[in-house]
Amino acid sequence: MLTHELFHTLHQLSRHLTNKLNEALKPLGLYSAQWSVIYVLKNKGSLTQKELCDYLFVEAPPMTRTIQRLVKQGYVSQVQGKDKREKHVQLTDTALQEYPNWERIVNTVNKSLLEDFPLVSQEQLVELQKSWLQKIL
């Protein structure tokens, strides 16, 4: 069935892309889940853990572990919000300094994965993904 094949290949592709990124980031002590949090914080600024979970569509326990690792590595800090139960997660100066290095590696991996994929197809895929995502959300 086409439906099964579509979702199966999407899952395989997602896992393959994640593994490639993990391989590239591993020497720097990062994994794709950590990169995702860092990337979102760099582009959106300080967010609560719940906002990060909602945006990245990740459940709270794995997000808590990812944030704890990033705090331990000195890449994020947690700042008390207006409500005592609310903590905002933000990048540290160390992370901001390292960000260009991480981004360069991610861009290199992404570029290598797309080198045989025509630009027109890339553009079409982005539009299809955005459209589908909007309908799901």
Side-chain angles (χ1 to χ4, degrees):
M1 288 175 69
L2 182 60
T3 303
H4 292 307
E5 187 174 356
L6 172 67
F7 285 95
H8 180 72
T9 56
L10 278 172
H11 180 72
Q12 283 183 300
L13 180 60
S14 175
R15 294 286 301 151
H16 183 72
L17 297 175
T18 298
N19 287 337
K20 287 288 187 185
L21 186 56
N22 282 339
E23 287 173 20
L25 291 172
K26 190 175 182 178
L28 303 173
L30 288 179
Y31 291 95
S32 62
Q34 293 164 303
W35 167 250
S36 294
V37 170
I38 290 168
Y39 179 81
V40 170
L41 293 174
K42 175 75 165 101
N43 289 287
K44 293 194 171 285
S46 175
L47 296 172
T48 64
Q49 180 172 326
K50 176 154 181 22
E51 290 169 331
L52 280 167
C53 287
D54 291 346
Y55 183 81
L56 292 171
F57 205 69
V58 173
E59 293 179 10
M63 181 60 72
T64 298
R65 289 190 296 273
T66 297
I67 291 170
Q68 287 173 345
R69 283 186 197 118
L70 289 168
V71 167
K72 195 174 186 177
Q73 290 171 297
Y75 298 143
V76 301
S77 61
Q78 294 177 301
V79 180
Q80 195 69 45
K82 295 174 189 170
D83 182 339
K84 288 189 176 189
R85 295 169 290 168
E86 182 180 84
K87 288 184 182 175
H88 287 266
V89 182
Q90 61 188 28
L91 294 177
T92 62
D93 289 339
T94 302
L96 292 171
Q97 281 182 304
E98 289 295 324
Y99 188 88
N101 298 326
W102 299 329
E103 187 177 44
R104 187 172 39 258
I105 287 170
V106 170
N107 286 336
T108 300
V109 170
N110 291 346
K111 186 177 177 182
S112 74
L113 289 166
L114 290 172
E115 66 188 2
D116 294 324
F117 198 50
L119 183 59
V120 172
S121 297
Q122 292 176 41
E123 292 167 347
Q124 290 171 337
L125 182 57
V126 167
E127 290 307 311
L128 286 169
Q129 289 177 134
K130 284 180 179 179
S131 173
W132 194 6
L133 193 55
Q134 284 176 340
K135 289 177 182 177
I136 292 173
L137 302 176

